[in-house]
Amino acid sequence: MSYRADIAIIGAGVIGLAIASHVTRAGREVYVLEKNKTFGQEQSSRNSEIIHAGIYYEKDSLKAKTCLEGNSLLYQLCERNGIAYKKCGKIIVATSDIEAEELEKLFDRGKDNGVPLKMLSRGEMNRLEPNMKGLAAFFSPTTGIVDSYSLMRYFLGKAKENGTQVVFKTEVTGIEKVSGGYEVSVDDPSGGFSFMTRVLVNCAGLYSDKVAEMAGINIDEAKHNLHWCKGEYYSVSGGKNRLINRLIYPVPMTISVGVHVCFDVNWRLRLGPLFYYVDEISYKVDDSRKEAFLESSIVKALPLIEPSDLDPESAGIMAMLQGEGEGFRDFVIKHEYDRGLPGFINLVGIDTPGLTSSPAIARYVSHLVNEILESEK
Ligand SMILES: Cc1cc2nc3c(=O)[nH]c(=O)nc-3n(C[C@H](O)[C@H](O)[C@H](O)COP(=O)(O)OP(=O)(O)OC[C@H]3O[C@@H](n4cnc5c(N)ncnc54)[C@H](O)[C@@H]3O)c2cc1C
């Protein structure tokens, strides 16, 4: 055991990188360990890139709080550091009476969470989106889009500038609690090694339940088992991107926010994600689900999109605490001292809106890290 770190972060997705950019400072040895050959190859580069406003989540949950805070921090970060973004706003539209009832509940929930929202009249709906059909809709002005790759590059650059070592092709395979911290074993191209760290932060995304288990947490008892949920996207051709002016979402009738209009910062148009639970990691789009896509509410709301405009494009897989048919589960972001693991900070189930929440989660975790390191002085 030759190295001794102050802080080791497992995972170089947007969450691990955001945290690294925040906790690194003079006099601290900080490492980020990533099993892939570069950063952000999993959830953080396979998502809708939406800066969420905070509408959907239970009041006072970590999701609601970090999303609202992250939303405003993210716009500031993008503006100050040349990260591409668009504060284009979004419309949530109901296409049936049942959806219209749910739309009102969603509007109230968003308002209650402190999100600025505006109910639209028929005239306003037509003026804002002449090609959209719907019975009722509201507008969220603080929803936007961010270039997730540039955001991660920014966090990585800031972390490195402040002295963090980011090591790729390095997979954490074992964690042992020892006096004064943790002994972490890794596999790397040289065959592997182990080192000691005072603080260990689990940001392992799809595998964060396995990492929690490695640290000694009984994940069944803690209810930290993850479910993998695959979301598929279809590209939309035929110049239809010029006929839609902002993000358009359906009323969520299941656990997911529903197949929606996704634009990237270059105004490339996609529809998705259509979510379903999976047991293995494969990013191939299952084209047999195109029928389900065509039946989604968003296609009803946008009759200008024809079946021939849609082509399978990409997929992402999300690490979710809620299994099929289960209700809302919040992010787990916790210093696990009460499980006998002082210095182990555990992040499990950082599903959507994790990209939006990343700067706020980084602040929160940085506060936990400072408490731990200060208490040892
Ligand atoms: C389809 C989809 C759509 C989404 N849309 C949005 C959206 O529009 N807006 C939004 O805010 N959020 C969205 N999200 C959620 C967002 O993408 C995630 O919350 C966020 O990317 C999570 O980041 P992460 O760093 O925790 O995980 P990841 O990006 O998965 O990173 C975890 C990293 O840990 C590494 N790792 C795992 N195990 C080990 C190990 N043992 N040793 C070393 N490294 C390890 C992995 O290789 C990986 O690089 C979406 C997610 C998906 C899948």
Side-chain angles (χ1 to χ4, degrees), residues 53-66:
I55 300 168
Y56 301 98
Y57 321 106
E58 278 186 9
K59 192 171 167 63
D60 296 331
S61 60
L62 275 174
K63 282 188 177 172
K65 286 192 214 162
T66 58

Side-chain angles (χ1 to χ4, degrees), residues 10-16 33-36 40-44 46-50 52 170-172 203-207 211 214 231 233 273 275 316-318 350-356:
I10 307 171
V14 70
I15 300 295
L33 310 162
E34 169 55 54
K35 68 177 168 55
N36 293 330
Q41 297 290 287
E42 300 193 353
Q43 297 174 96
S44 300
R46 295 178 164 275
N47 57 56
S48 303
E49 302 194 301
I50 308 294
H52 284 293
T170 303
E171 177 169 356
V172 172
C203 300
L206 294 164
Y207 306 93
V211 168
M214 268 182 221
Y233 295 89
F275 273 115
I317 296 178
M318 194 144 75
I350 311 299
D351 56 32
T352 186
L355 182 69
T356 311

Side-chain angles (χ1 to χ4, degrees), residues 190-208:
S190 73
F193 62 94
S194 67
F195 69 97
M196 155 86 188
T197 182
R198 288 155 79 195
V199 175
L200 183 62
V201 188
N202 173 14
C203 300
L206 294 164
Y207 306 93
S208 49

